[in-house]
Amino acid sequence: MPVAVRTLLVVLGDQLAPDHPGLQGLDPTRDRLWMAEVAEESRHAPSHIARTTLFLSAMRHFAKERRDDGFSVHYCHLGEHPEQALNDALRADLEHLQPQNVRVLQPGEHRVLRQLQAACADQAIPLEVLDDPHFLVPLDAFHQWAKGRKQLRMEYFYREQRKALGVLMNGDEPAGGQWNFDADNRGHFGRDGPGLLPPPLSFPPDALTRECLGDIARHLPDLPGQADDFDWPVTAQQAQQALDDFIQHRLPAFGTYQDAMWTDQPWLYHARLSTALNLHLIHPRTVIDAAEQAWRDGHAPLPAVEGFIRQILGWREYVRGLYFHFGEAWHEWNALEADQPLPALYWDAKTSMQCLHQAVGQTLQLGYAHHIQRLMVTGLFAQLLGVRPAEIHAWYLGIYVDAVEWVELPNVVGMSQYADDGRMASKPYVATGRYIQRMSNYCAHCPFDPAEALGDKACPFTTLYWDFLDRHRDRFARHPRTALQWKHVEKMDPERLQAIRDRAGELRKTLAQGDRI
C-alpha cells in the first residue's frame, strides 16, 4: 500500500549539515527525509573508491544521526535499488510515498537538479529548490556583483566580501594594511626538506565506514584508486576536530609553505578540510572565524591566516558563483582548441616524470593532492599537452575526494586549462619544469632536466611550455600580462623553435598512443 507523505526532503550526499535548513518545520509523523546511494553517481565520471566511500559513509552517519534526532528517513543503500540513476530511484519512491511536495537544497551540479526535476515532473509533484545557507554569498548576490562587469576577478570579489562580512578587518581597513599577502606565501623547503611534520588528525574507518567499503567492493568493484588509507572525517564532530587540529598544529606554517611540494609528503601543512566543507559537515564561517581568532590570539601570523581565508571566502565562494553564473556553458568551452586525449599515466602514474609520478600516484592512493599539485603539475601538464577540457574535467571530478562539480568544473576549465577564454583567470598559468624544480624536490629524482627543452634529458614540461607559447602566439603575444613570456619566443632561433615543435609533436603522439614517457 502507498504511504502518504506530506513533505519529502531530498538530502544529497554533499548537503549533510546537522542544521540542514530543510529540517526546520518537518513533522516526523508526516514528513520524511529521502536519501539514496545510486551507482551512477560513482560512474558518470569514474569515482575514486575513497571518494565514493567518503560520500556514502558521511551519508549513512548523517542518516543515523537524524534518526536518533527523531526524524523519519527513507534511505536506499547501494544495491537495494535496481535503478542505477538518481532520477529513477526517486521516481520509484515517489510512486510509493506519494508526497504532496518535494524539497531540496540547491544542488551543486546542474545534472542532478535536472534529474530531480524530471522525476518530480513525471509524478506531477511540485519540487521546491531552497537556497543553500551553507555558502556565505547567496547566488542572487553574486549575480548582482557580476552584473555589468567586464572582468569577474576574484580579488575584487574577495575584498568586497571581506568588507561585507567583517573578516580580517580593522574598521574600514584590511588587517595589516593590505588585502592580500600572497607574495609572502610562496616559500619552498630548500635542500633540507620540510623536516619533522606534524601529522594531521586521522579518523580510521568505524563500523559504518567498513560497511560502506564492503558494499562498494560488492557493487562497484571497478572503481579506480584504493581506500586502504581512508581516514577522512565523515561526521560534523570529526570535522570540528580536524579544524581544531589544523589550527593548532599546521596553520602557523601554512602560509609560507602552502605552495611547496615534497616527495612522499602528501599533507605537509595543508588543512584537509575541503572534504568536510564540500559535504557541509562544517560551515565555512566556523572555519574562517577559527583562523582569524588564531591570528588575533597571536598563534598564527597574518599572512598564513589571510592566505587560508582567501581560499575559502575568496576562491570557494567565487568559484561557486561563477559556476552558476555561466551555467552549463562551462562544459562546452574549449578556447584553446585542445584536442589531445588524457594520457594513460593519469590512471596508473606510470611515467618517468617524477613530478607526475608523485602527484598522480598520491592521488590514486589517497584521492587527494593539494592545490599546487593540481594546478601546476597535473593541470599544467594537461594544458601544455593540449588535453580536451572535457576529459581532464571528468578525471578531476571523479578522482578527488573533495570534488563536487560546482567547485571542480570552473577550477579545471577556467583556472587550470584556460578553456573559458579568460572569464576566470586573467592569463593561462603556464611554466617550464623550473617552476616545479623551485617548489619541490621532484626534479632531483627525475631523469629529465627542467632547464632543457631539447635533447635526451629534455623535460617534457619545458618542451611543451615553449611549444605552447609558439602555438598560441597570436592569442597572447600582446596580452598585457603575458607579453613578456611571448617575447622570448620571438627571439628564439627559428631552427631551435622548429625542433621544439617537432619534439612536442613526438610527445603528443607517444602519449596519444598510450605509450609512456
Side-chain angles (χ1 to χ4, degrees):
M1 291 290 293
V3 178
V5 171
R6 183 182 64 172
T7 295
L8 190 69
L9 175 64
V10 172
V11 179
L12 300 172
D14 60 342
Q15 300 177 346
L16 306 177
D19 58 349
H20 188 299
L23 298 172
Q24 297 177 11
L26 287 192
D27 182 346
T29 65
R30 303 175 62 192
D31 306 321
R32 288 196 183 184
L33 280 64
W34 184 86
M35 304 178 70
E37 303 170 359
V38 290
E40 186 198 41
E41 294 306 300
S42 290
R43 285 184 170 147
H44 78 277
S47 178
H48 194 294
I49 185 173
R51 177 175 181 265
T52 295
T53 302
L54 172 70
F55 274 78
L56 267 56
S57 177
M59 288 170 64
R60 293 185 189 188
H61 282 88
F62 178 91
K64 180 182 182 301
E65 290 170 355
R66 300 296 77 75
R67 288 191 179 108
D68 292 344
D69 291 340
F71 289 101
S72 298
V73 183
H74 186 90
Y75 196 101
C76 308
H77 288 81
L78 194 66
E80 288 182 4
H81 249 296
E83 296 83 3
Q84 295 296 300
L86 186 66
N87 58 322
D88 294 328
L90 178 59
R91 186 181 297 110
D93 284 334
L94 290 177
E95 293 180 4
H96 172 65
L97 298 171
Q98 294 188 351
Q100 296 176 23
N101 62 85
V102 177
R103 293 179 188 168
V104 68
L105 285 185
Q106 173 70 55
E109 186 171 349
H110 300 297
R111 175 189 62 89
V112 171
L113 179 58
R114 286 198 309 272
Q115 288 189 330
L116 298 178
Q117 290 171 331
C120 290
D122 287 348
Q123 301 295 320
I125 298 172
L127 172 66
E128 181 182 7
V129 181
L130 307 173
D131 290 337
D132 190 347
H134 172 78
F135 295 93
L136 300 173
V137 182
L139 292 178
D140 287 347
F142 185 90
H143 295 320
Q144 188 62 35
W145 173 82
K147 187 177 180 180
R149 292 177 183 262
K150 292 182 179 180
Q151 294 183 327
L152 305 181
R153 296 293 176 247
M154 191 280 291
E155 183 65 26
Y156 305 133
F157 171 82
Y158 169 59
R159 293 182 185 187
E160 289 193 22
Q161 302 317 311
R162 287 264 301 272
K163 294 177 183 177
L165 298 172
V167 174
L168 287 179
M169 299 294 295
N170 287 331
D172 295 330
E173 298 299 319
Q178 62 190 72
W179 293 103
N180 188 314
F181 288 84
D182 191 48
D184 298 314
N185 293 339
R186 299 172 184 170
H188 55 84
F189 294 119
R191 292 183 179 180
D192 296 333
L196 185 63
L197 290 161
L201 187 65
S202 64
F203 304 91
D206 62 7
L208 269 182
T209 303
R210 292 194 298 271
E211 180 185 273
C212 290
L213 288 165
D215 288 346
I216 292 168
R218 283 189 294 275
H219 299 290
L220 294 167
D222 55 346
L223 296 184
Q226 55 104 335
D228 296 347
D229 301 294
F230 185 91
D231 66 348
W232 296 98
V234 293
T235 68
Q237 181 181 18
Q238 290 178 345
Q240 182 63 53
Q241 292 170 349
L243 170 62
D244 295 342
D245 175 73
F246 168 67
I247 296 293
Q248 179 65 31
H249 298 294
R250 296 187 303 288
L251 176 62
F254 166 80
T256 303
Y257 299 119
Q258 64 177 289
D259 288 358
M261 301 173 282
W262 200 260
T263 298
D264 297 330
Q265 293 288 350
W267 312 122
L268 298 172
Y269 291 98
H270 288 266
R272 295 204 340 154
L273 289 169
S274 58
T275 56
L277 282 164
N278 291 354
L279 269 62
H280 291 28
L281 298 179
I282 195 167
H283 197 277
R285 191 64 201 241
T286 301
V287 177
I288 290 169
D289 288 348
E292 180 170 2
Q293 192 61 49
W295 166 64
R296 296 195 181 278
D297 291 344
H299 175 66
L302 182 57
V305 171
E306 187 279 321
F308 177 67
I309 288 177
R310 186 172 358 112
Q311 292 190 2
I312 300 171
L313 179 56
W315 274 113
R316 190 170 185 271
E317 297 287 333
Y318 167 74
V319 165
R320 179 179 183 254
L322 287 180
Y323 176 78
F324 286 101
H325 186 71
F326 290 114
E328 300 204 53
W330 284 104
H331 291 276
E332 308 301 325
W333 285 332
N334 187 2
L336 301 185
E337 300 179 351
D339 63 357
Q340 284 288 117
L342 185 71
L345 68 87
Y346 279 75
W347 296 107
D348 58 20
K350 293 180 179 178
T351 175
S352 298
M353 290 179 284
Q354 184 66 9
C355 58
L356 277 167
H357 175 72
Q358 279 284 318
V360 175
Q362 169 189 309
T363 295
L364 294 174
Q365 178 186 359
L366 303 170
Y368 170 85
H370 72 65
H371 65 281
I372 293 299
Q373 291 173 312
R374 299 189 202 193
L375 177 64
M376 299 304 293
V377 180
T378 57
L380 174 59
F381 190 73
Q383 183 183 32
L384 296 178
L385 189 67
V387 173
R388 289 185 284 267
E391 290 196 32
I392 189 66
H393 150 61
W395 185 78
Y396 274 94
L397 180 60
I399 210 70
Y400 286 113
V401 289
D402 56 3
V404 183
E405 192 178 84
W406 66 263
V407 65
E408 174 275 327
L409 184 60
N411 265 319
V412 172
V413 171
M415 184 70 174
S416 174
Q417 302 302 298
Y418 202 81
D420 67 342
D421 201 20
R423 289 173 175 84
M424 183 175 183
S426 60
K427 66 174 184 176
Y429 281 80
V430 293
T432 69
R434 281 183 163 173
Y435 172 84
I436 297 171
Q437 183 183 43
R438 184 169 69 253
M439 299 307 297
S440 75
N441 71 332
Y442 295 157
C443 298
H445 308 286
C446 187
F448 301 113
D449 183 347
E452 298 297 330
L454 291 173
D456 294 339
K457 293 185 177 182
C459 173
F461 277 85
T462 302
T463 303
L464 291 169
Y465 167 81
W466 290 111
D467 177 72
F468 180 93
L469 298 190
D470 177 49
R471 287 187 295 117
H472 298 294
R473 194 184 308 192
D474 291 343
R475 178 183 292 270
F476 296 112
R478 292 174 177 80
H479 188 291
R481 293 199 65 196
T482 61
L484 184 60
Q485 286 176 288
W486 266 263
K487 283 184 180 179
H488 293 302
V489 179
E490 294 173 359
K491 297 177 181 178
M492 189 174 291
D493 177 77
E495 290 186 5
R496 177 174 175 81
L497 185 57
Q498 185 58 53
I500 288 174
R501 292 181 190 133
D502 293 342
R503 176 55 183 154
E506 292 171 2
L507 290 172
R508 290 192 179 87
K509 182 178 180 180
T510 296
L511 291 169
Q513 292 173 339
D515 296 331
R516 307 310 166 106
I517 295 174

